[in-house]
């Protein structure tokens, strides 16, 4: 299972050179997660129940004292000691063990599912941090660009080619970007806390993310057939098998139980008499059979098991339909993210070309700072959209890998 998880990590972290950072975070999360520990403990508890059911019914002991001593030919009976042991029908204990083991197998899939979900959650949080940091970097660049424009505007004001209003508009735009950057910084701290808590560590530990991500030029083909082997669906198969084992156990419990016992009766000697069996104690071996004549209970249990198997089959098909829908949406969202990224890249290049034209216009004294602000706003929009496309691509990749690996 560890091998499968590591393969999943590798697929989740492709596309950038600093993949080791995310892989390390995932390994720490898998090691420290209290949720994983919870499921592992639940699995251990169910597994331990195998020892609980590997028993036979309690041995019955009885002691009786004759208050009114019955007289027999060999003497008066004083007290009686008895022991009795019921034994289930052949194979009943094995059937119990198999049933509990099947429940443990189903519970084990909860561990596998939880680990997959944790890998996806850590990865998604990491990509959210990347997008936030990238946006902050873009805002800083745009603020510096506006400061350059402000210097140009002040120079233009001095020579009468611009008004003070242009300078104020540039300054107000800078203030807006500063506000956005500060808000992003607070959102980064909140997301950092979420990631640290997935790793079960102090919320203030600094998380450093990769500086740059790019969308791969080629998309890995998705093998949708692997979806049928997903642990969420395998769990239903194991639950189905546990019901089969439950029915086998039910059939065994509907069979008779055999009992073996022994009675011992203490007998006093008859006074003033001499014969060979005088005072001879009584030992009586016994065999008993417990037959479930009224077996409506077991017939009802068989019917319940059949209905439960039908329910599990329906639940599995329902879950498969949902997983197929989620996988298909994630794949198409990745394609959309790639298309969006290409479009934003093209738009950004054109916006940069427009900026260069404006700067050259300044040399001839015809710069329009309203156009400057419009172009700057477009540049920022395209840059933010680029970052969002990259984040979307990798977040959707975590979903694809959760479902198809």
């Amino acid at each position: 299972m560890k091998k499968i998880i590591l393969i999943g990590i590798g697929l989740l972290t492709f596309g950038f050179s600093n993949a080791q950072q995310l892989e390390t975070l995932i390994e720490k999360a898998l090691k420290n997660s209290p949720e994983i520990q919870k499921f592992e403990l639940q699995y251990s508890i169910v597994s331990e129940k195998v020892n609980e059911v590997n028993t036979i019914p309690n041995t019955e002991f009885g002691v009786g004292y004759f208050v009114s001593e019955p007289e027999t030919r060999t003497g008066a009976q004083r007290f009686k000691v008895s022991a009795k042991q019921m034994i289930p029908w052949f194979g009943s204990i094995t059937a119990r063990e198999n049933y509990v083991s099947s429940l443990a197998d189903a519970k084990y899939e909860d561990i596998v599912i939880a680990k997959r979900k944790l890998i996806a959650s850590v990865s998604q949080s990491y990509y959210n941090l990347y997008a936030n940091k990238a946006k902050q970097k873009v805002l800083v660049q745009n603020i510096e660009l506006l400061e350059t424009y402000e210097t140009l505007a002040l120079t233009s004001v001095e020579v009468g080619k611009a008004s003070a209003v242009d300078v104020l508009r540039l300054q107000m735009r800078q203030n807006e970007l500063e506000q956005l950057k500060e808000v992003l910084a607070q959102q980064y701290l909140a997301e950092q806390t979420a990631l640290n808590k997935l790793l079960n560590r102090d919320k203030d530990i600094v998380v450093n993310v990769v500086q740059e991500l790019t969308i791969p030029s080629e998309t890995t083909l998705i093998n949708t057939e692997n979806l049928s082997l997903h642990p969420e669906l395998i769990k239903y198969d194991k639950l189905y098998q546990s019901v089969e084992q439950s029915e086998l156990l039910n059939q065994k419990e509907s069979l008779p139980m055999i009992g073996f016992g022994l009675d011992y009766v203490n007998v006093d000697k008859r006074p003033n008499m001499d014969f060979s069996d005088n005072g001879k104690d009584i030992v009586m071996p016994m065999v008993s059979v417990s037959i479930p004549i009224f077996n409506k209970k077991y017939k009802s249990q068989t019917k319940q098991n059949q209905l439960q198997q039908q329910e599990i089959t329906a639940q599995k098909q329902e879950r498969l339909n949902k997983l197929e829908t989620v996988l298909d949406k994630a794949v198409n969202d990745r394609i959309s993210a790639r298309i969006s990224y290409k479009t934003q890249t093209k738009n950004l290049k054109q916006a940069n070309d427009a900026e260069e034209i404006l700067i050259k216009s300044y040399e001839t004294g015809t710069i329009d700072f309203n156009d400057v602000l419009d172009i700057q706003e477009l540049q920022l929009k395209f840059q933010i959209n680029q970052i969002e496309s990259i984040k979307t691509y990798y977040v959707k990749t975590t979903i694809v890998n959760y479902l198809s690996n």
Side-chain angles (χ1 to χ4, degrees):
M1 180 187 66
K2 184 176 181 182
K3 181 179 180 182
I4 294 174
I5 291 172
L6 291 178
I7 291 173
I9 294 173
L11 290 168
L12 284 168
T13 57
F14 73 92
F16 53 91
S17 59
N18 199 22
Q20 184 63 38
Q21 168 70 11
L22 175 55
E23 189 171 328
T24 300
L25 293 173
I26 289 174
E27 289 175 350
K28 288 181 180 179
L30 292 173
K31 180 180 178 181
N32 299 331
S33 171
E35 183 180 20
I36 302 298
Q37 294 171 7
K38 175 189 72 174
F39 284 117
E40 287 176 342
L41 289 171
Q42 290 177 353
Y43 172 70
S44 298
I45 291 171
V46 177
S47 298
E48 182 59 30
K49 286 185 177 292
V50 174
N51 295 325
E52 175 187 332
V53 300
N54 186 18
T55 57
I56 59 177
N58 294 338
T59 304
E60 298 179 14
F61 292 96
V63 177
Y65 184 80
F66 296 103
V67 177
S68 177
E69 299 175 356
E71 289 285 345
T72 66
R73 184 184 67 83
T74 58
Q77 298 180 5
R78 301 295 303 275
F79 62 88
K80 176 181 177 182
V81 177
S82 62
K84 182 179 180 182
Q85 177 65 63
M86 299 300 294
I87 299 177
W89 195 259
F90 305 104
S92 295
I93 295 178
T94 301
R96 290 180 200 161
E97 292 177 342
N98 292 339
Y99 171 60
V100 175
S101 295
S102 65
L103 292 177
D105 289 341
K107 178 59 67 174
Y108 179 79
E109 292 304 316
D110 287 335
I111 302 175
V112 180
I113 294 168
K115 287 185 176 181
R116 283 201 179 200
K117 287 183 177 180
L118 183 60
I119 291 172
S121 297
V122 171
S123 300
Q124 290 174 6
S125 182
Y126 183 88
Y127 295 134
N128 288 335
L129 287 177
Y130 160 78
N132 184 294
K133 188 65 73 175
K135 289 176 184 178
Q136 289 189 55
K137 183 179 178 181
V138 165
L139 287 173
V140 170
Q141 292 172 351
N142 278 265
I143 291 170
E144 292 174 351
L145 181 62
L146 287 173
E147 289 174 350
T148 301
Y149 290 150
E150 183 185 356
T151 302
L152 295 178
L154 288 171
T155 303
S156 297
V157 169
E158 291 177 359
V159 298
K161 294 181 180 180
S163 69
V165 174
D166 293 324
V167 177
L168 291 173
R169 289 187 65 191
L170 288 166
Q171 290 175 343
M172 286 187 290
R173 182 59 178 161
Q174 290 179 56
N175 294 337
E176 288 180 353
L177 298 189
E178 285 286 355
Q179 174 190 338
L180 290 174
K181 185 169 74 70
E182 292 176 4
V183 170
L184 282 173
Q186 295 304 312
Q187 292 175 349
Y188 187 92
L189 293 176
E191 189 65 45
Q192 181 175 259
T193 296
L195 179 55
N196 280 323
K197 288 305 166 185
L198 286 173
L199 273 64
N200 194 32
R201 65 185 189 181
D202 188 86
K203 67 182 182 68
D204 295 323
I205 294 178
V206 177
V207 178
N208 296 315
V209 296
V210 65
Q211 294 298 313
E212 184 178 0
L213 276 175
T214 57
I215 295 179
S217 57
E218 295 182 0
T219 302
T220 305
L221 295 177
I222 305 302
N223 187 359
T224 56
E225 294 180 359
N226 288 345
L227 187 58
S228 61
L229 302 177
H230 194 274
E232 286 194 35
L233 300 178
I234 291 176
K235 181 178 179 180
Y236 287 111
D237 293 336
K238 293 190 174 181
L239 286 173
Y240 191 95
Q241 292 170 7
S242 72
V243 178
E244 289 180 340
Q245 295 298 327
S246 174
E247 178 56 26
L248 291 175
L249 175 59
N250 180 56
Q251 295 297 329
K252 289 294 183 181
E253 290 184 340
S254 66
L255 298 174
M257 293 181 67
I258 303 174
F260 300 93
L262 183 70
D263 280 359
Y264 167 79
V265 180
N266 180 264
V267 179
D268 272 353
K269 289 184 177 182
R270 298 185 66 175
N272 303 321
M273 297 188 69
D274 185 16
F275 53 93
S276 60
D277 291 336
N278 188 16
K280 185 177 181 180
D281 296 335
I282 301 172
V283 177
M284 183 173 64
M286 294 186 299
V287 176
S288 61
V289 179
S290 174
I291 302 175
I293 298 176
F294 305 100
N295 60 356
K296 186 176 180 180
K297 165 188 172 183
Y298 303 104
K299 291 181 179 179
S300 175
Q301 184 63 49
T302 296
K303 183 64 176 178
Q304 292 177 47
N305 288 335
Q306 292 172 348
L307 293 172
Q308 192 172 358
Q309 286 180 321
Q310 295 175 18
E311 179 190 11
I312 291 172
T313 301
Q315 287 177 336
K316 180 183 177 181
Q317 185 60 49
E318 177 190 22
R319 189 59 185 162
L320 175 60
N321 292 340
K322 288 183 178 179
L323 293 182
E324 286 178 339
T325 301
V326 172
L327 177 58
D328 189 67
K329 184 177 186 303
V331 170
N332 287 307
D333 285 346
R334 284 207 314 181
I335 296 173
S336 299
R338 183 189 296 278
I339 295 171
S340 175
Y341 178 81
K342 290 180 178 179
T343 302
Q344 302 308 322
T345 301
K346 185 185 300 183
N347 289 340
L348 184 57
K349 183 180 182 304
Q350 293 173 343
N352 290 337
D353 291 342
E355 180 193 9
E356 289 182 9
I357 294 173
L358 285 174
I359 296 301
K360 289 181 180 178
S361 297
Y362 175 74
E363 298 174 358
T364 63
T366 59
I367 190 169
D368 186 338
F369 285 102
N370 288 330
D371 290 341
V372 168
L373 281 172
D374 289 342
I375 291 299
Q376 183 276 328
E377 187 173 350
L378 283 174
Q379 284 177 318
L380 179 60
K381 174 185 174 182
F382 298 147
Q383 288 173 314
I384 294 297
N385 287 344
Q386 261 190 333
I387 295 169
E388 279 296 317
S389 297
I390 293 172
K391 185 190 81 170
T392 299
Y393 180 87
Y394 281 97
V395 167
K396 296 303 178 181
T397 296
T398 65
I399 297 174
V400 170
N401 288 327
Y402 171 77
L403 294 173
S404 61
N405 293 321

